[in-house]
Amino acid sequence: MLTAGPDAMRERILITDTFKRTARHRLMMGAGAVSMLLLGCTPATETAAPETASAAEIHERLLTLDTHLDTPVHFGRNGWSMADAHDYATDASQVDLPRMEQGGLDGGFFVIYTPQGELTSAGYAEARAMATQRQREILEMAAANAERLELAYTADDALRIASEGKVFAFQSIENSWPLGEDIGALQSFYDNGVRMAGPVHSRDNQFADSTTGDGRWGGLSPAGRELVAEMNRLGIVVDGSHASDAAIDQLIELSATPIILSHSGPRWAMDHQRNLDDDGIRAVAASGGAICVNSVFLAPFLESEELTAIEERMDAEYRTASPTQQRALVRELRAAQGRAPQQEANFDAFMASLLHLLDVAGVDHVCMGADWDGGGGVIGMRDIAALPQVTARLLAAGYDEEDLQKIWSGNVLRLLRQAEDYAANH
């Protein structure tokens, strides 16, 4: 495995920036002009760049990733394609390839999510089948869009794929319940591309206590401790999102490489168990880890009987309904949300949360994980097409392009490299 210090990492990112711009504009330039750009020369007809780049230009230069894309929940939907552009008003999704281009999102971690069930042999078998199917759908999506998207397995892969003008797709596991009592089963998921995994979701399981669980283990279970060691052995980044405060403390202590919280936020923004208090944020940062800011749990969720009824219908009907029926269901949902908003968090609240996280953790320990397609999004930032405004607001707050590169991908790639290097040398 290759290693890289901060200077080498910065050089790789700058090289990738050049290749990204070249790849995206290749169709508009002659082969000779592209060759000159790669060699560091300027075509004779090109005008000088302005002294001060706009926020949009800076966002385009950045290598951007999000650590928690729940978009695979849509891959098995009747008639849905990652290649098509979808509208938030008539489709429940927030991520697709056209919107990734529009929002300047170069890639991220596509999630193998399994909702928590029973800790029994039958429950484990059902969960394994669900998780295996979800990974298969991710692989099939990548194969179907091979000209525009490629699976990534290492930090260097992300840089190479972006340099070729394509989207890079890592995989992660949200909830390790499907492993059952066989930690060795993680090997198969790793072999097929998983490079990040969290032990637990919304209820305590065989590995750890959840932030919203009963505290069965007081943090990690004995099996959970073994799971951390196996993740380190394979080179999988350990994800503490959804784990209890005690479990996060133990993940930090036990993991041989720094942990990540792929979609979490500060309790300062909202006093909810899923958010981390400032002491916890400092502990993750002090250990070398990173917290990827969520766009959920910024304000209370407000339920109504009408919304609950529509959501239950969508759970039962949405994946197998025809595309026309799907659009009708979503229009009904959006109309109900307009009459009784589920939550009132807006883009300003999201940015306040992000800026607080940066203030407490420092720019070397913050990343982006808004929980798209898993409940994320706020008023004024409903899908990933709105991402350039995050860069604009961070620039206005005084962060420079080097800071932004760390936040948008550099910190995550650093953690990936550390996991890769540990696995290669132990």
Side-chain angles (χ1 to χ4, degrees), residues 185-409:
L186 187 59
Q187 179 76 56
S188 176
F189 287 102
Y190 172 86
D191 290 343
N192 283 298
V194 165
R195 292 300 182 268
M196 181 189 299
V200 69
H201 190 244
S202 60
R203 291 162 51 191
D204 302 345
N205 66 11
Q206 72 271 37
F207 296 120
D209 293 337
S210 167
T211 57
T212 49
D214 298 323
R216 173 182 182 182
W217 303 105
L220 298 177
S221 72
R225 293 170 180 268
E226 294 177 16
L227 179 62
V228 172
E230 180 67 359
M231 290 183 190
N232 289 161
R233 184 188 73 81
L234 291 171
I236 292 175
V237 177
V238 178
D239 184 2
S241 282
H242 282 288
S244 69
D245 289 354
I248 290 173
D249 289 342
Q250 292 163 22
L251 290 173
I252 291 171
E253 177 186 358
L254 292 170
S255 180
T257 62
I259 73 166
I260 198 168
L261 272 63
S262 68
H263 57 304
S264 293
R267 206 162 288 173
W268 171 88
M270 178 186 174
D271 188 10
H272 189 281
Q273 308 99 299
R274 271 286 283 118
N275 292 329
L276 203 61
D277 64 26
D278 285 359
D279 285 343
I281 293 169
R282 293 187 188 99
V284 173
S287 69
I291 304 167
C292 304
V293 67
N294 204 341
S295 61
V296 189
F297 306 111
L298 296 171
F301 276 80
L302 308 173
E303 294 295 339
S304 71
E305 291 184 5
E306 180 186 24
L307 277 171
T308 299
I310 295 172
E311 288 170 346
E312 288 176 353
R313 284 175 52 206
M314 289 193 68
D315 287 343
E317 304 170 16
Y318 193 57
R319 282 175 64 89
T320 57
S322 72
T324 299
Q325 292 169 327
Q326 291 173 18
R327 288 191 291 273
L329 279 168
V330 176
R331 286 193 187 96
E332 190 176 346
L333 175 67
R334 299 293 183 237
Q337 290 171 334
R339 290 188 291 272
Q342 286 178 299
Q343 53 93 18
E344 298 176 345
N346 59 21
F347 182 65
D348 287 340
F350 170 77
M351 287 305 307
S353 177
L354 172 55
L355 290 169
H356 179 81
L357 194 58
L358 283 162
D359 184 56
V360 175
V363 74
D364 293 314
H365 305 284
V366 175
C367 38
M368 305 299 294
D371 206 354
W372 298 114
D373 288 324
V378 293
I379 298 168
M381 188 179 73
R382 290 303 193 188
D383 61 21
I384 60 167
L387 290 180
Q389 69 191 30
V390 178
T391 291
R393 190 69 69 87
L394 287 172
L395 289 166
Y399 291 92
D400 63 22
E401 188 168 348
E402 184 176 353
D403 295 331
L404 290 171
Q405 188 59 81
K406 292 177 181 179
I407 296 165
W408 272 114
S409 66

Side-chain angles (χ1 to χ4, degrees), residues 130-178:
M130 291 173 64
T132 301
Q133 175 62 23
R134 182 57 49 79
Q135 185 171 55
R136 183 180 301 114
E137 289 171 351
I138 294 172
L139 300 179
E140 290 172 351
M141 180 280 296
N145 295 280
E147 293 184 357
R148 302 170 68 183
L149 177 147
E150 184 177 336
L151 295 171
Y153 302 90
T154 68
D156 281 344
D157 281 347
L159 300 178
R160 175 187 56 78
I161 293 166
S163 78
E164 296 169 359
K166 295 191 290 186
V167 167
F168 56 87
F170 287 105
Q171 295 176 61
S172 64
I173 289 175
E174 183 176 30
N175 193 8
S176 293
W177 172 52

Side-chain angles (χ1 to χ4, degrees), residues 36-50:
M36 293 176 75
L37 264 180
L38 295 178
L39 292 171
C41 304
T42 304
T45 58
E46 184 177 338
T47 58

